Amino acid sequence: MEEDNTKLIKKYKQDLKMYEKQLKQQIQECKAALQLGSHIQVYDAFCEIHSPTQSLPVKPVLGTANFTQNENPQDHLNEALGKVITSGQGQTFDQYWSDDQGRSSTQEWSGAKGKKAVTTYKLLPQTKVVEEWKSPCAIYSICPTTDGQVWTQYRNKLTLLDRKGKVIQEVTHNVCINDISLSPTTHTLWVCDHNNNITELVSGRLTHRFSTKEEPWCICVAASNHVIVGMTKHISKFSKFTTNGKMVSTTMAKETEKPLVCTPRSISECPVTHNVAVADFSSETDGGDGKRGVVVMNSDFKEQFVYRSRGDIPISRYQPTPQPRGEPFNPCGVVYDSVGNLIIGDCNNNRVLLISGGGESLRVIHTDPDYTWAVGIDREDVLWVAFGEPGKKVKLLQ
């Protein structure tokens, strides 16, 4: 609603400016007619002023919202959480779990003699694959737009695809692109490249905005319209800029200290808390320890927590036994959903993880036979994931 209201106000301002321009032109024409014109020209000028086509633009009616607190939330909570159905009185009972694929498992406890009791847990519906298609282009980064399309990036090319994978637009840059980000306020695409340039896609062309001292490996345009850039090497690892390149804040590390973020791969800002999550490869050449993870910082770049998943994270919180240990955690992409949960693409283990805003492992959203290469989310919380190297299989997950 806020976005729609902004569009209405912007259109109204443009109409007012056009009306003002036409009015000034009419004033000049009236002056000329009064000073030099004939009676007919003066009459015509008078009629044109009172013409219905010259009326003021209609003031837009903006959308509003009212919140009414739910007076009886219990029924909705019961419906959301499900029911536990028990039978019998004894000390022996079974519990049933269900994983993402709909399989169930049981575990039995035995105690004193008595009748057998069964407890059944009914879980909420699991992740649904809305669309699946083969991408016409390789994908390294992925940014869904506000109108059901998606920008993708690979090497020096940007490609706009529709919901079915059809190419709508292609933009070729003169240098290799490292990462892309869609502005949440202007909805324009921002790009960082191999030559330390930060550019914005305007009317189909990449327009230079500013340059960084170190190579920018990843980029995120925040709700404040600041541009957050992740860099490596020894000067600064993370910096926040205005859209014209003025530095607002940065992270600094002493030579004897390990930097908070060493090798940034992907950035996302939480729409609720405005925390910043960074997928960090932590390369030893950049001062890291080689242990890849997701670093979550507040808006001032102060560490909140570091998430490093093991390969044996259970598929469901209700599953009685952990999954077999997998490959080392490799977060190739991070993105926040609309309620502040963090979604991580774990490349080596071919899966997408759901993490709470406080760092608690919730569950595996989806697994695939191929690498998880890039993740993005649209305004309806539909997740766009590119699988397989180099990311040519795309799935839309609800």
Side-chain angles (χ1 to χ4, degrees):
M1 186 182 293
E2 183 179 356
E3 292 172 2
D4 292 339
N5 285 347
T6 302
K7 290 177 182 178
L8 288 173
I9 293 172
K10 186 176 180 181
K11 177 68 166 54
Y12 183 55
K13 286 182 178 179
Q14 291 173 346
D15 292 343
L16 286 175
K17 287 181 179 179
M18 182 62 67
Y19 177 79
E20 182 187 26
K21 184 178 179 181
Q22 293 173 349
L23 204 60
K24 288 180 178 178
Q25 184 179 350
Q26 278 188 345
I27 290 172
Q28 296 299 324
E29 291 174 354
C30 286
K31 285 182 179 178
L34 289 171
Q35 293 173 359
L36 305 173
S38 63
H39 292 296
I40 295 176
Q41 289 172 320
V42 172
Y43 178 80
D44 287 344
F46 175 80
C47 290
E48 188 173 348
I49 290 174
H50 291 82
S51 170
T53 60
Q54 303 299 325
S55 60
L56 272 167
V58 178
K59 189 175 181 179
V61 179
L62 302 181
T64 59
N66 294 313
F67 174 73
T68 303
Q69 183 177 351
N70 187 352
E71 295 180 356
N72 186 19
Q74 188 65 37
D75 292 340
H76 297 289
L77 289 172
N78 288 339
E79 185 177 350
L81 298 176
K83 297 180 179 179
V84 176
I85 304 170
T86 62
S87 63
Q89 308 174 19
Q91 303 299 317
T92 303
F93 59 92
D94 290 340
Q95 288 189 327
Y96 297 84
W97 290 269
S98 176
D99 63 16
D100 280 358
Q101 282 72 42
R103 298 186 295 264
S104 63
S105 58
T106 65
Q107 185 166 347
E108 182 177 298
W109 285 265
S110 296
K113 292 182 179 181
K115 294 182 179 179
K116 188 176 182 180
V118 176
T119 303
T120 303
Y121 294 92
K122 296 180 180 179
L123 302 183
L124 295 175
Q126 298 299 314
T127 306
K128 178 182 178 183
V129 180
V130 181
E131 299 283 352
E132 181 177 354
W133 35 265
K134 184 177 180 181
S135 172
C137 57
I139 297 173
Y140 185 77
S141 302
I142 190 165
C143 281
T145 66
T146 57
D147 54 0
Q149 299 172 350
V150 65
W151 277 107
T152 67
Q153 170 267 324
Y154 184 73
R155 294 182 178 173
N156 67 329
K157 183 173 286 188
L158 302 171
T159 307
L160 181 64
L161 305 173
D162 68 10
R163 198 176 175 88
K164 301 289 185 180
K166 181 181 177 182
V167 176
I168 300 172
Q169 183 181 353
E170 287 185 342
V171 178
T172 302
H173 197 25
N174 57 5
V175 66
C176 185
I177 296 170
N178 288 336
D179 195 20
I180 57 177
S181 175
L182 198 75
S183 169
T185 53
T186 64
H187 308 305
T188 55
L189 193 71
W190 286 71
V191 172
C192 63
D193 66 34
H194 191 67
N195 283 0
N196 301 12
N197 297 312
I198 307 298
T199 53
E200 183 182 11
L201 188 63
V202 180
S203 301
R205 298 184 62 181
L206 287 170
T207 303
H208 183 269
R209 295 305 184 204
F210 61 92
S211 298
T212 57
K213 292 182 179 180
E214 302 293 337
E215 182 175 354
W217 282 99
C218 49
I219 186 172
C220 174
V221 183
S224 62
N225 214 30
H226 288 140
V227 182
I228 304 172
V229 181
M231 296 168 282
T232 59
K233 307 241 174 131
H234 306 290
I235 297 179
S236 61
K237 304 303 176 184
F238 257 81
S239 296
K240 186 185 294 183
F241 301 89
T242 63
T243 52
N244 59 7
K246 182 180 178 181
M247 186 179 291
V248 178
S249 60
T250 186
T251 60
M252 299 293 290
K254 298 178 181 179
E255 293 185 3
T256 57
E257 294 179 345
K258 176 186 177 295
L260 183 59
V261 176
C262 297
T263 315
R265 163 64 174 85
S266 174
I267 319 173
S268 180
E269 184 195 42
C270 177
V272 180
T273 64
H274 299 294
N275 284 344
V276 178
V278 189
D280 182 18
F281 281 6
S282 194
S283 173
E284 294 179 2
T285 58
D286 297 321
D289 55 10
K291 297 178 181 178
R292 302 187 176 191
V294 175
V295 180
V296 175
M297 304 171 283
N298 63 18
S299 57
D300 296 322
F301 296 151
K302 303 298 181 183
E303 180 183 328
Q304 303 299 296
F305 64 88
V306 178
Y307 180 83
R308 287 190 174 95
S309 168
R310 299 179 301 163
D312 60 353
I313 180 174
I315 286 180
S316 168
R317 298 178 72 183
Y318 297 100
Q319 196 157 354
T321 56
Q323 295 297 294
R325 182 173 293 277
E327 296 297 323
F329 183 49
N330 186 9
C332 276
V334 292
V335 65
Y336 279 100
D337 66 13
S338 64
V339 296
N341 290 323
L342 185 60
I343 296 163
I344 304 173
D346 183 1
C347 179
N348 287 354
N349 293 285
N350 308 358
R351 63 192 181 182
V352 184
L353 306 178
L354 182 66
I355 312 299
S356 74
E360 178 190 6
S361 297
L362 300 181
R363 66 184 178 92
V364 175
I365 295 178
H366 190 75
T367 57
D368 190 87
D370 296 316
Y371 293 126
T372 308
W373 207 243
V375 293
I377 199 163
D378 63 23
R379 62 190 301 176
E380 305 298 329
D381 276 343
V382 173
L383 191 65
W384 298 61
V385 188
F387 292 99
E389 192 174 356
K392 279 207 165 187
K393 179 168 64 177
V394 176
K395 289 183 179 180
L396 276 65
L397 308 175
Q398 182 71 59

